[in-house]
């Protein structure tokens, strides 16, 4: 796969998503004030070059951006994984996926619903866009804000997402080359094994996606950057067989660029889970490793 062909594929995916850039760039302080993002900063002075940065995207949880610091299932060594990363020197950025938390539609909140995915997805489809495209745009806007802020090292930014948050992280990394390492926690599959096999939230659907390829083909656009798939053998939401099938497309893309070591599939014995111990190991240790071979080849 040549870089030119990859660029054309990215542009095609951007069109399918209905991805639109914001009219006015917002500062990180604005995103925080509007409760769209929460930021955990390490103690002490900002290191030269900025903080190594981990963006953790929650799944379908009413906790929203609090998920990676409040949910019992994300604790490691008695502490939430977000706090462990902060203590390890990472700036931990916790965005609220559009349709959750402060970005919910007030009418849905009044009804006692946990999110506004269905309402917002229908509205965006009528306007020729997608809710997934809006979530990708939000993550791009977040990286724009981190870049302007100056305290964050975007040369080492890790974006990790669980379940639906992994879907947003995947499509974001495919469209935004600034993502150095993307970690998908229980979030990769094929349409045949997942979206076509059972009923999923409308926020997962992109009209015309199968004319482009499948989720594995989207993940292939991350090459040659680091991509880590963490998936359970008993996952009932995104079945394991589909995750392995999608990863085959990923492997082909990385092998074509001679960077197969930058894509890994970490098989787990569990089900549809966030696997915080694996996230901690991959982001906290592996997130600081440079992709020397690939960077040299593409320089």
């Amino acid at each position: 796969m040549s870089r030119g062909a990859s660029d054309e594929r990215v542009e095609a995916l951007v069109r399918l998503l209905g991805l639109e850039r914001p009219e006015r760039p917002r500062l990180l302080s604005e995103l925080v004030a509007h409760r769209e993002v929460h930021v955990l900063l390490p103690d002490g002075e900002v290191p030269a070059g900025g903080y190594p940065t981990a963006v953790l995207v929650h799944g379908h949880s009413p906790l929203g951006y609090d998920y990676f610091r409040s949910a019992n299932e994300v604790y490691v060594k008695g502490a939430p994984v977000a706090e462990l990363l902060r203590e390890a020197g990472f700036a931990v950025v916790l965005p609220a996926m559009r349709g959750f938390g402060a970005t919910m539609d007030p009418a849905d909140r009044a009804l006692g619903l946990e999110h506004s995915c269905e309402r917002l997805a229908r509205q965006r489809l009528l306007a020729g866009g997608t809710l997934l495209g809006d979530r990708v745009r939000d993550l791009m806007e977040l990286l724009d804000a981190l870049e302007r802020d100056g305290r964050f090292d975007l040369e080492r930014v890790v974006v990790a997402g669980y379940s639906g948050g992994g879907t947003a992280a995947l499509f974001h990394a495919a469209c935004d080359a600034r993502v150095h390492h993307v970690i998908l926690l229980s979030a990769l599959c094929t349409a045949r094994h997942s979206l076509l096999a059972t009923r999923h939230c409308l926020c997962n659907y992109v009209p015309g996606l199968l004319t482009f390829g499948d989720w594995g083909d989207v993940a292939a656009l991350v090459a040659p950057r680091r991509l880590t798939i963490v998936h359970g053998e008993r996952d009932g939401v995104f079945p394991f067989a589909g995750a392995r099938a999608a990863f085959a497309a990923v492997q082909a893309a990385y092998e074509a660029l001679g960077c197969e070591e930058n894509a890994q599939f970490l098989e787990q014995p569990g089900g549809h889970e966030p696997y915080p111990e694996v996230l901690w190991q991959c982001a906290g240790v592996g997130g600081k490793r440079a992709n020397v071979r690939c960077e040299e080849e593409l320089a």
Side-chain angles (χ1 to χ4, degrees):
M1 182 194 306
S2 70
R3 296 188 74 181
S6 180
D7 289 343
E8 291 174 3
R9 294 279 286 168
V10 171
E11 291 171 5
L13 183 61
V14 165
R15 289 193 295 271
L16 283 175
L17 289 169
L19 181 58
E20 301 172 353
R21 298 291 284 170
E23 294 181 3
R24 183 185 70 83
R26 290 187 291 170
L27 300 174
L28 181 60
S29 58
E30 293 179 84
L31 298 177
V32 171
H34 292 149
R35 296 174 56 213
E36 296 177 37
V37 175
H38 185 78
V39 181
L40 302 174
L41 296 178
D43 296 330
E45 296 183 0
V46 181
Y51 297 112
T53 302
V55 179
L56 307 184
V57 191
H58 66 88
H60 271 230
S61 168
L63 291 171
Y65 65 44
D66 281 329
Y67 178 77
F68 279 104
R69 62 176 186 156
S70 298
N72 291 334
E73 60 263 36
V74 298
Y75 272 61
V76 182
K77 302 176 182 178
V81 67
E83 291 292 345
L84 288 177
L85 286 169
R86 183 188 64 80
E87 291 172 6
F90 277 78
V92 182
V93 183
L94 305 170
M97 277 208 301
R98 184 158 297 275
F100 290 83
T103 66
M104 275 187 69
D105 188 288
D108 289 333
R109 186 177 291 108
L111 290 171
L113 301 181
E114 293 184 349
H115 57 77
S116 292
C117 292
E118 296 283 341
R119 183 188 298 270
L120 296 183
R122 288 196 301 268
Q123 291 172 354
R124 293 301 289 130
L125 289 171
L126 286 172
T130 63
L131 178 54
L132 182 53
D134 286 350
R135 289 173 176 171
V136 170
R137 179 202 63 204
D138 291 342
L139 289 170
M140 285 183 165
E141 183 182 22
L142 174 57
L143 291 199
D144 290 343
L146 296 177
E147 211 164 23
R148 285 193 302 274
D149 184 278
R151 292 176 292 172
F152 305 88
D153 180 5
L154 290 195
E155 294 297 318
R156 293 187 289 172
V157 66
V158 179
V159 178
Y162 166 53
S163 191
T167 303
L170 166 60
F171 280 76
H172 171 223
C175 295
D176 191 343
R178 292 174 296 180
V179 178
H180 173 68
H181 181 190
V182 61
I183 303 171
L184 305 181
L185 307 160
S186 302
L188 184 69
C189 205
T190 64
R192 180 172 68 86
H193 288 87
S194 57
L195 300 182
L196 296 177
T198 187
R199 186 173 184 267
H200 280 262
C201 180
L202 192 57
C203 67
N204 287 293
Y205 293 83
V206 177
L209 181 63
L210 293 184
T211 65
F212 172 89
D214 207 327
W215 282 14
D217 300 291
V218 175
L221 294 176
V222 178
R225 293 166 286 143
R226 293 192 64 203
L227 172 63
T228 301
I229 311 299
V230 185
H231 216 87
E233 296 173 338
R234 295 183 286 105
D235 194 319
V237 179
F238 296 120
F240 185 77
R244 291 297 307 185
F247 189 65
V250 172
Q251 285 180 303
Y254 278 79
E255 288 172 1
L257 289 172
C259 294
E260 52 269 29
E261 72 276 10
N262 285 351
Q264 59 179 335
F265 189 106
L266 303 180
E267 180 178 336
Q268 304 300 308
H272 192 73
E273 304 169 26
Y275 297 106
E277 296 88 354
V278 185
L279 171 59
W280 159 241
Q281 182 179 13
C282 292
V285 179
K288 299 182 182 181
R289 188 185 67 176
N291 295 333
V292 176
R293 179 180 177 188
C294 291
E295 288 172 355
E296 288 176 349
E297 289 178 352
L298 295 176

